[in-house]
Amino acid sequence: MAEGLRERKKRETRQRISDIATGLFLEHGFVTVTIAEVAEAADVSVNTVYNYFPAKEDLFFDRSAGVVEQLSRWVRARDAGESAARAVLRELRRETEAVSPRLGLMAGYDRFMRVIHEAPPLRSRLWSLQQEIHDHLEATLREETAAAAGDPLPGLIAGQIAWTHQTVFVTVGREMLKGRNPGEVSREVLVLIDDIEELLSEKVLNYAVRAAQ
């Protein structure tokens, strides 16, 4: 269905508030900036900000829903004969080789990471997001393999795959925080992904293989 005028305006307002808030956080720090200051800069009321973003942390991690669902999307889109873990490894390699901003491989990402490091509420939210990623992936693996409710394997496999994803992101963030060149970090992370794959057991690498059509 085509996006209606009302929906488009709401989406644009939400994005404008988020963009303005991000600019303020990068310039002044997350803890220092208030919701009232964001509202004033965006020329909206404080209530309007809260209508779109229930918590201040939501303004910073405004695309968290997409991040939480990403691993599940990759797993659901895996090729015939491909396992869940190998699909995620393939996508991580593709994003890394492309020096993708979605992984943080971009100039200026160090400013984004510095805001997180200096704000305990953001670090706490980041840990929460990582748990959400795991839980969402576990639910997907249960569905994809028709696992029984009490089967612990989907949760264990989700933990290994989520660890792979988290390790790549943490490494990129740490290296970009040093102000390094994205291309150089990309080449190092590709080697890291190879090392991670070697550490994963055959049981993990061969779990949830999609049947041939």
Side-chain angles (χ1 to χ4, degrees), residues 131-190:
Q131 185 62 51
E132 289 181 45
I133 290 170
H134 171 277
D135 293 347
H136 197 283
L137 179 59
E138 178 181 354
T140 297
L141 291 176
R142 286 191 181 281
E143 182 179 338
E144 290 288 303
T145 60
D151 185 353
L153 201 52
L156 295 173
I157 299 295
Q160 294 292 298
I161 296 175
W163 165 76
T164 297
H165 180 256
Q166 179 185 347
T167 299
V168 169
F169 266 89
V170 168
T171 301
V172 169
R174 182 185 64 236
E175 295 306 311
M176 294 304 296
L177 191 57
K178 299 175 183 176
R180 296 189 58 199
N181 178 278
E184 292 179 356
V185 176
S186 169
R187 289 189 289 274
E188 292 177 7
V189 171
L190 284 172

Short mmCIF file of all heavy atoms in Angstrom, two decimals, residues 131-190:
data_model
loop_
_atom_site.label_atom_id
_atom_site.label_comp_id
_atom_site.label_asym_id
_atom_site.label_seq_id
_atom_site.Cartn_x
_atom_site.Cartn_y
_atom_site.Cartn_z
N GLN A 131 20.89 -8.40 24.01
CA GLN A 131 20.03 -9.47 24.51
C GLN A 131 18.79 -9.63 23.63
O GLN A 131 18.35 -10.74 23.34
CB GLN A 131 19.61 -9.19 25.96
CG GLN A 131 18.80 -10.32 26.58
CD GLN A 131 19.59 -11.62 26.66
OE1 GLN A 131 20.73 -11.63 27.16
NE2 GLN A 131 19.03 -12.70 26.16
N GLU A 132 18.25 -8.51 23.17
CA GLU A 132 17.10 -8.55 22.28
C GLU A 132 17.45 -9.24 20.97
O GLU A 132 16.65 -9.99 20.41
CB GLU A 132 16.58 -7.14 22.00
CG GLU A 132 15.89 -6.48 23.18
CD GLU A 132 15.38 -5.09 22.82
OE1 GLU A 132 14.78 -4.94 21.74
OE2 GLU A 132 15.61 -4.16 23.62
N ILE A 133 18.65 -8.97 20.46
CA ILE A 133 19.11 -9.62 19.22
C ILE A 133 19.15 -11.13 19.41
O ILE A 133 18.67 -11.90 18.56
CB ILE A 133 20.49 -9.08 18.82
CG1 ILE A 133 20.39 -7.62 18.35
CG2 ILE A 133 21.13 -9.95 17.73
CD1 ILE A 133 21.73 -6.94 18.15
N HIS A 134 19.71 -11.56 20.53
CA HIS A 134 19.79 -12.99 20.83
C HIS A 134 18.40 -13.61 20.91
O HIS A 134 18.12 -14.64 20.31
CB HIS A 134 20.55 -13.21 22.14
CG HIS A 134 20.50 -14.64 22.62
ND1 HIS A 134 19.43 -15.14 23.35
CD2 HIS A 134 21.36 -15.67 22.46
CE1 HIS A 134 19.65 -16.41 23.61
NE2 HIS A 134 20.80 -16.76 23.09
N ASP A 135 17.51 -12.98 21.67
CA ASP A 135 16.17 -13.53 21.88
C ASP A 135 15.38 -13.61 20.58
O ASP A 135 14.66 -14.58 20.33
CB ASP A 135 15.41 -12.69 22.91
CG ASP A 135 16.02 -12.78 24.30
OD1 ASP A 135 16.87 -13.67 24.53
OD2 ASP A 135 15.65 -11.95 25.16
N HIS A 136 15.51 -12.57 19.76
CA HIS A 136 14.80 -12.56 18.48
C HIS A 136 15.33 -13.67 17.57
O HIS A 136 14.54 -14.37 16.91
CB HIS A 136 14.98 -11.19 17.81
CG HIS A 136 14.00 -10.91 16.72
ND1 HIS A 136 14.12 -11.48 15.46
CD2 HIS A 136 12.89 -10.15 16.67
CE1 HIS A 136 13.14 -11.06 14.69
NE2 HIS A 136 12.36 -10.25 15.40
N LEU A 137 16.64 -13.84 17.56
CA LEU A 137 17.24 -14.89 16.73
C LEU A 137 16.86 -16.28 17.24
O LEU A 137 16.57 -17.18 16.44
CB LEU A 137 18.76 -14.74 16.70
CG LEU A 137 19.53 -15.79 15.89
CD1 LEU A 137 19.06 -15.78 14.43
CD2 LEU A 137 21.03 -15.53 15.98
N GLU A 138 16.85 -16.44 18.55
CA GLU A 138 16.44 -17.74 19.11
C GLU A 138 15.02 -18.10 18.67
O GLU A 138 14.75 -19.25 18.27
CB GLU A 138 16.51 -17.71 20.64
CG GLU A 138 16.06 -19.02 21.28
CD GLU A 138 16.09 -18.99 22.79
OE1 GLU A 138 16.56 -18.00 23.37
OE2 GLU A 138 15.62 -19.98 23.40
N ALA A 139 14.12 -17.13 18.73
CA ALA A 139 12.74 -17.38 18.31
C ALA A 139 12.69 -17.76 16.83
O ALA A 139 11.92 -18.65 16.43
CB ALA A 139 11.88 -16.14 18.58
N THR A 140 13.50 -17.11 16.03
CA THR A 140 13.55 -17.42 14.60
C THR A 140 14.07 -18.83 14.36
O THR A 140 13.52 -19.59 13.55
CB THR A 140 14.44 -16.40 13.86
OG1 THR A 140 13.86 -15.11 13.98
CG2 THR A 140 14.59 -16.77 12.38
N LEU A 141 15.13 -19.21 15.06
CA LEU A 141 15.70 -20.55 14.90
C LEU A 141 14.71 -21.62 15.35
O LEU A 141 14.63 -22.70 14.73
CB LEU A 141 17.01 -20.66 15.67
CG LEU A 141 18.18 -19.84 15.13
CD1 LEU A 141 19.40 -19.96 16.05
CD2 LEU A 141 18.55 -20.29 13.72
N ARG A 142 13.98 -21.35 16.40
CA ARG A 142 12.96 -22.31 16.85
C ARG A 142 11.90 -22.52 15.76
O ARG A 142 11.47 -23.65 15.49
CB ARG A 142 12.29 -21.82 18.14
CG ARG A 142 13.15 -21.94 19.36
CD ARG A 142 12.40 -21.69 20.66
NE ARG A 142 13.31 -21.80 21.78
CZ ARG A 142 13.72 -22.96 22.31
NH1 ARG A 142 13.24 -24.09 21.82
NH2 ARG A 142 14.56 -22.97 23.32
N GLU A 143 11.51 -21.42 15.15
CA GLU A 143 10.49 -21.51 14.11
C GLU A 143 11.04 -22.20 12.86
O GLU A 143 10.36 -23.05 12.27
CB GLU A 143 10.01 -20.10 13.75
CG GLU A 143 8.92 -20.07 12.69
CD GLU A 143 8.47 -18.66 12.38
OE1 GLU A 143 8.66 -17.77 13.23
OE2 GLU A 143 7.93 -18.45 11.27
N GLU A 144 12.26 -21.85 12.48
CA GLU A 144 12.85 -22.40 11.26
C GLU A 144 13.13 -23.90 11.38
O GLU A 144 13.12 -24.62 10.38
CB GLU A 144 14.15 -21.66 10.94
CG GLU A 144 13.96 -20.22 10.47
CD GLU A 144 13.38 -20.12 9.08
OE1 GLU A 144 13.98 -20.67 8.14
OE2 GLU A 144 12.30 -19.50 8.94
N THR A 145 13.42 -24.37 12.59
CA THR A 145 13.75 -25.79 12.78
C THR A 145 12.61 -26.58 13.40
O THR A 145 12.75 -27.79 13.61
CB THR A 145 14.99 -25.93 13.69
OG1 THR A 145 14.71 -25.35 14.98
CG2 THR A 145 16.21 -25.24 13.07
N ALA A 146 11.50 -25.89 13.70
CA ALA A 146 10.36 -26.54 14.37
C ALA A 146 10.80 -27.23 15.66
O ALA A 146 10.37 -28.34 15.98
CB ALA A 146 9.68 -27.53 13.43
N ALA A 147 11.68 -26.56 16.40
CA ALA A 147 12.21 -27.13 17.64
C ALA A 147 11.13 -27.16 18.72
O ALA A 147 10.24 -26.31 18.76
CB ALA A 147 13.39 -26.30 18.13
N ALA A 148 11.21 -28.15 19.58
CA ALA A 148 10.27 -28.27 20.69
C ALA A 148 10.49 -27.12 21.67
O ALA A 148 11.59 -26.56 21.77
CB ALA A 148 10.46 -29.61 21.39
N ALA A 149 9.45 -26.78 22.41
CA ALA A 149 9.52 -25.64 23.34
C ALA A 149 10.65 -25.78 24.35
O ALA A 149 11.27 -24.80 24.74
CB ALA A 149 8.19 -25.48 24.04
N GLY A 150 10.92 -26.99 24.80
CA GLY A 150 11.96 -27.17 25.82
C GLY A 150 13.34 -27.46 25.27
O GLY A 150 14.28 -27.68 26.04
N ASP A 151 13.50 -27.45 23.96
CA ASP A 151 14.79 -27.74 23.34
C ASP A 151 15.74 -26.56 23.56
O ASP A 151 15.46 -25.44 23.12
CB ASP A 151 14.59 -27.98 21.84
CG ASP A 151 15.87 -28.41 21.13
OD1 ASP A 151 16.94 -28.41 21.78
OD2 ASP A 151 15.80 -28.75 19.94
N PRO A 152 16.89 -26.78 24.23
CA PRO A 152 17.80 -25.66 24.50
C PRO A 152 18.68 -25.28 23.32
O PRO A 152 19.30 -24.21 23.32
CB PRO A 152 18.68 -26.20 25.64
CG PRO A 152 18.73 -27.68 25.38
CD PRO A 152 17.37 -28.04 24.83
N LEU A 153 18.71 -26.12 22.27
CA LEU A 153 19.67 -25.91 21.18
C LEU A 153 19.47 -24.59 20.42
O LEU A 153 20.46 -23.90 20.14
CB LEU A 153 19.62 -27.09 20.20
CG LEU A 153 20.86 -27.28 19.31
CD1 LEU A 153 22.14 -27.32 20.14
CD2 LEU A 153 20.72 -28.56 18.49
N PRO A 154 18.24 -24.19 20.10
CA PRO A 154 18.10 -22.91 19.40
C PRO A 154 18.69 -21.73 20.18
O PRO A 154 19.30 -20.83 19.60
CB PRO A 154 16.58 -22.75 19.24
CG PRO A 154 16.07 -24.14 19.22
CD PRO A 154 16.94 -24.88 20.21
N GLY A 155 18.54 -21.74 21.50
CA GLY A 155 19.10 -20.67 22.31
C GLY A 155 20.62 -20.72 22.33
O GLY A 155 21.28 -19.67 22.29
N LEU A 156 21.17 -21.93 22.39
CA LEU A 156 22.63 -22.08 22.41
C LEU A 156 23.23 -21.65 21.07
O LEU A 156 24.26 -20.96 21.03
CB LEU A 156 23.00 -23.53 22.73
CG LEU A 156 22.61 -24.03 24.12
CD1 LEU A 156 22.88 -25.52 24.24
CD2 LEU A 156 23.38 -23.27 25.20
N ILE A 157 22.60 -22.06 19.98
CA ILE A 157 23.10 -21.68 18.66
C ILE A 157 22.96 -20.18 18.45
O ILE A 157 23.86 -19.52 17.93
CB ILE A 157 22.34 -22.44 17.56
CG1 ILE A 157 22.54 -23.95 17.70
CG2 ILE A 157 22.80 -21.96 16.17
CD1 ILE A 157 23.95 -24.44 17.49
N ALA A 158 21.83 -19.63 18.90
CA ALA A 158 21.62 -18.18 18.78
C ALA A 158 22.72 -17.43 19.52
O ALA A 158 23.19 -16.38 19.07
CB ALA A 158 20.25 -17.80 19.32
N GLY A 159 23.12 -17.96 20.67
CA GLY A 159 24.19 -17.33 21.44
C GLY A 159 25.50 -17.29 20.68
O GLY A 159 26.21 -16.27 20.70
N GLN A 160 25.82 -18.37 19.98
CA GLN A 160 27.06 -18.41 19.20
C GLN A 160 27.02 -17.46 18.01
O GLN A 160 27.98 -16.75 17.73
CB GLN A 160 27.30 -19.85 18.71
CG GLN A 160 27.58 -20.84 19.81
CD GLN A 160 28.90 -20.60 20.50
OE1 GLN A 160 29.95 -20.67 19.88
NE2 GLN A 160 28.86 -20.29 21.77
N ILE A 161 25.88 -17.44 17.33
CA ILE A 161 25.76 -16.56 16.16
C ILE A 161 25.75 -15.09 16.60
O ILE A 161 26.38 -14.24 15.97
CB ILE A 161 24.49 -16.90 15.36
CG1 ILE A 161 24.61 -18.32 14.79
CG2 ILE A 161 24.28 -15.89 14.23
CD1 ILE A 161 23.35 -18.80 14.07
N ALA A 162 25.02 -14.80 17.68
CA ALA A 162 24.97 -13.43 18.18
C ALA A 162 26.35 -12.98 18.65
O ALA A 162 26.73 -11.81 18.48
CB ALA A 162 23.96 -13.31 19.32
N TRP A 163 27.11 -13.90 19.25
CA TRP A 163 28.49 -13.58 19.66
C TRP A 163 29.33 -13.21 18.45
O TRP A 163 30.13 -12.25 18.49
CB TRP A 163 29.12 -14.78 20.38
CG TRP A 163 30.61 -14.67 20.51
CD1 TRP A 163 31.32 -13.90 21.39
CD2 TRP A 163 31.58 -15.34 19.69
NE1 TRP A 163 32.68 -14.05 21.16
CE2 TRP A 163 32.85 -14.93 20.15
CE3 TRP A 163 31.48 -16.25 18.64
CZ2 TRP A 163 34.03 -15.40 19.56
CZ3 TRP A 163 32.66 -16.73 18.06
CH2 TRP A 163 33.92 -16.30 18.53
N THR A 164 29.18 -13.95 17.35
CA THR A 164 29.90 -13.64 16.12
C THR A 164 29.60 -12.22 15.65
O THR A 164 30.50 -11.42 15.37
CB THR A 164 29.50 -14.64 15.02
OG1 THR A 164 29.88 -15.95 15.42
CG2 THR A 164 30.16 -14.29 13.70
N HIS A 165 28.32 -11.89 15.60
CA HIS A 165 27.87 -10.57 15.17
C HIS A 165 28.39 -9.49 16.12
O HIS A 165 28.91 -8.45 15.68
CB HIS A 165 26.34 -10.60 15.15
CG HIS A 165 25.70 -9.32 14.74
ND1 HIS A 165 25.10 -8.46 15.65
CD2 HIS A 165 25.53 -8.74 13.53
CE1 HIS A 165 24.60 -7.43 15.01
NE2 HIS A 165 24.84 -7.55 13.73
N GLN A 166 28.28 -9.73 17.41
CA GLN A 166 28.71 -8.75 18.41
C GLN A 166 30.22 -8.53 18.35
O GLN A 166 30.69 -7.39 18.46
CB GLN A 166 28.31 -9.22 19.80
CG GLN A 166 28.75 -8.29 20.92
CD GLN A 166 28.44 -8.85 22.30
OE1 GLN A 166 27.70 -9.81 22.44
NE2 GLN A 166 29.01 -8.25 23.32
N THR A 167 30.96 -9.59 18.15
CA THR A 167 32.42 -9.47 18.09
C THR A 167 32.86 -8.59 16.94
O THR A 167 33.76 -7.75 17.08
CB THR A 167 33.07 -10.86 17.96
OG1 THR A 167 32.73 -11.66 19.10
CG2 THR A 167 34.59 -10.76 17.86
N VAL A 168 32.22 -8.74 15.80
CA VAL A 168 32.54 -7.91 14.65
C VAL A 168 32.23 -6.45 14.94
O VAL A 168 33.05 -5.55 14.69
CB VAL A 168 31.77 -8.39 13.40
CG1 VAL A 168 31.90 -7.36 12.26
CG2 VAL A 168 32.29 -9.74 12.94
N PHE A 169 31.05 -6.19 15.51
CA PHE A 169 30.66 -4.81 15.79
C PHE A 169 31.55 -4.17 16.86
O PHE A 169 31.93 -3.00 16.74
CB PHE A 169 29.19 -4.75 16.23
CG PHE A 169 28.25 -4.47 15.10
CD1 PHE A 169 27.73 -5.51 14.35
CD2 PHE A 169 27.91 -3.17 14.77
CE1 PHE A 169 26.87 -5.26 13.29
CE2 PHE A 169 27.05 -2.90 13.71
CZ PHE A 169 26.53 -3.95 12.97
N VAL A 170 31.87 -4.92 17.90
CA VAL A 170 32.72 -4.39 18.96
C VAL A 170 34.11 -4.07 18.41
O VAL A 170 34.70 -3.03 18.74
CB VAL A 170 32.82 -5.39 20.13
CG1 VAL A 170 33.93 -4.98 21.10
CG2 VAL A 170 31.49 -5.47 20.88
N THR A 171 34.63 -4.96 17.58
CA THR A 171 35.96 -4.74 17.01
C THR A 171 35.98 -3.52 16.10
O THR A 171 36.89 -2.68 16.19
CB THR A 171 36.40 -5.98 16.20
OG1 THR A 171 36.43 -7.12 17.07
CG2 THR A 171 37.78 -5.76 15.59
N VAL A 172 34.97 -3.40 15.25
CA VAL A 172 34.89 -2.22 14.38
C VAL A 172 34.80 -0.95 15.21
O VAL A 172 35.52 0.03 14.97
CB VAL A 172 33.67 -2.31 13.43
CG1 VAL A 172 33.44 -0.97 12.72
CG2 VAL A 172 33.88 -3.41 12.40
N GLY A 173 33.93 -0.96 16.22
CA GLY A 173 33.78 0.22 17.06
C GLY A 173 35.05 0.61 17.78
O GLY A 173 35.41 1.80 17.83
N ARG A 174 35.75 -0.39 18.30
CA ARG A 174 37.00 -0.12 19.03
C ARG A 174 38.05 0.48 18.12
O ARG A 174 38.74 1.45 18.48
CB ARG A 174 37.52 -1.41 19.65
CG ARG A 174 38.79 -1.23 20.48
CD ARG A 174 39.34 -2.54 20.98
NE ARG A 174 39.76 -3.40 19.88
CZ ARG A 174 39.31 -4.62 19.67
NH1 ARG A 174 38.40 -5.14 20.47
NH2 ARG A 174 39.76 -5.33 18.65
N GLU A 175 38.19 -0.09 16.92
CA GLU A 175 39.22 0.38 15.99
C GLU A 175 38.87 1.74 15.39
O GLU A 175 39.74 2.59 15.21
CB GLU A 175 39.45 -0.65 14.90
CG GLU A 175 40.01 -1.97 15.39
CD GLU A 175 41.27 -1.79 16.21
OE1 GLU A 175 42.18 -1.06 15.75
OE2 GLU A 175 41.36 -2.35 17.32
N MET A 176 37.59 1.96 15.09
CA MET A 176 37.19 3.25 14.54
C MET A 176 37.29 4.35 15.60
O MET A 176 37.51 5.52 15.27
CB MET A 176 35.77 3.17 13.99
CG MET A 176 35.63 2.25 12.77
SD MET A 176 36.76 2.69 11.41
CE MET A 176 36.13 4.31 10.97
N LEU A 177 37.12 3.98 16.86
CA LEU A 177 37.27 4.95 17.95
C LEU A 177 38.69 5.51 18.00
O LEU A 177 38.91 6.62 18.50
CB LEU A 177 36.91 4.28 19.28
CG LEU A 177 36.74 5.17 20.52
CD1 LEU A 177 35.69 6.26 20.28
CD2 LEU A 177 36.38 4.33 21.73
N LYS A 178 39.63 4.77 17.47
CA LYS A 178 41.02 5.22 17.41
C LYS A 178 41.25 6.18 16.25
O LYS A 178 42.37 6.67 16.06
CB LYS A 178 41.96 4.01 17.27
CG LYS A 178 41.89 3.02 18.43
CD LYS A 178 42.75 1.80 18.13
CE LYS A 178 42.63 0.75 19.22
NZ LYS A 178 43.41 -0.49 18.89
N GLY A 179 40.22 6.42 15.44
CA GLY A 179 40.35 7.31 14.30
C GLY A 179 41.00 6.66 13.10
O GLY A 179 41.56 7.36 12.24
N ARG A 180 40.91 5.34 12.99
CA ARG A 180 41.58 4.63 11.92
C ARG A 180 40.81 4.71 10.60
O ARG A 180 39.63 5.06 10.56
CB ARG A 180 41.78 3.17 12.32
CG ARG A 180 42.70 2.97 13.52
CD ARG A 180 43.02 1.51 13.71
NE ARG A 180 43.65 0.96 12.50
CZ ARG A 180 43.70 -0.35 12.25
NH1 ARG A 180 43.16 -1.22 13.09
NH2 ARG A 180 44.29 -0.78 11.15
N ASN A 181 41.50 4.36 9.53
CA ASN A 181 40.93 4.36 8.20
C ASN A 181 39.95 3.19 8.06
O ASN A 181 40.30 2.05 8.37
CB ASN A 181 42.04 4.24 7.16
CG ASN A 181 41.52 4.18 5.75
OD1 ASN A 181 41.12 3.12 5.27
ND2 ASN A 181 41.52 5.31 5.07
N PRO A 182 38.71 3.43 7.59
CA PRO A 182 37.72 2.36 7.46
C PRO A 182 38.18 1.20 6.59
O PRO A 182 37.89 0.03 6.89
CB PRO A 182 36.51 3.07 6.84
CG PRO A 182 36.66 4.49 7.25
CD PRO A 182 38.14 4.75 7.25
N GLY A 183 38.90 1.49 5.50
CA GLY A 183 39.37 0.44 4.62
C GLY A 183 40.35 -0.50 5.31
O GLY A 183 40.30 -1.72 5.13
N GLU A 184 41.24 0.07 6.12
CA GLU A 184 42.21 -0.75 6.85
C GLU A 184 41.50 -1.63 7.87
O GLU A 184 41.82 -2.82 8.01
CB GLU A 184 43.23 0.15 7.56
CG GLU A 184 44.16 0.90 6.63
CD GLU A 184 45.12 1.79 7.39
OE1 GLU A 184 44.99 1.86 8.64
OE2 GLU A 184 45.98 2.42 6.76
N VAL A 185 40.54 -1.06 8.57
CA VAL A 185 39.78 -1.83 9.56
C VAL A 185 39.00 -2.94 8.87
O VAL A 185 38.92 -4.07 9.36
CB VAL A 185 38.83 -0.91 10.35
CG1 VAL A 185 37.96 -1.73 11.31
CG2 VAL A 185 39.62 0.14 11.13
N SER A 186 38.45 -2.64 7.71
CA SER A 186 37.70 -3.64 6.94
C SER A 186 38.57 -4.86 6.65
O SER A 186 38.14 -6.01 6.83
CB SER A 186 37.19 -3.03 5.63
OG SER A 186 36.69 -4.02 4.77
N ARG A 187 39.78 -4.64 6.19
CA ARG A 187 40.67 -5.76 5.85
C ARG A 187 41.00 -6.60 7.08
O ARG A 187 41.05 -7.84 7.00
CB ARG A 187 41.95 -5.22 5.20
CG ARG A 187 41.73 -4.67 3.78
CD ARG A 187 43.02 -4.37 3.09
NE ARG A 187 43.70 -3.21 3.66
CZ ARG A 187 43.46 -1.94 3.30
NH1 ARG A 187 42.54 -1.68 2.39
NH2 ARG A 187 44.13 -0.95 3.83
N GLU A 188 41.18 -5.96 8.21
CA GLU A 188 41.49 -6.70 9.45
C GLU A 188 40.28 -7.49 9.93
O GLU A 188 40.41 -8.61 10.43
CB GLU A 188 41.95 -5.72 10.52
CG GLU A 188 43.31 -5.09 10.21
CD GLU A 188 43.73 -4.07 11.24
OE1 GLU A 188 43.02 -3.94 12.27
OE2 GLU A 188 44.75 -3.39 11.03
N VAL A 189 39.10 -6.91 9.77
CA VAL A 189 37.89 -7.59 10.24
C VAL A 189 37.58 -8.80 9.37
O VAL A 189 37.07 -9.82 9.87
CB VAL A 189 36.70 -6.60 10.27
CG1 VAL A 189 35.38 -7.34 10.53
CG2 VAL A 189 36.92 -5.56 11.35
N LEU A 190 37.91 -8.76 8.09
CA LEU A 190 37.73 -9.93 7.23
C LEU A 190 38.56 -11.11 7.74
O LEU A 190 38.10 -12.26 7.73
CB LEU A 190 38.11 -9.60 5.79
CG LEU A 190 37.09 -8.76 5.01
CD1 LEU A 190 37.67 -8.33 3.67
CD2 LEU A 190 35.80 -9.54 4.80
#
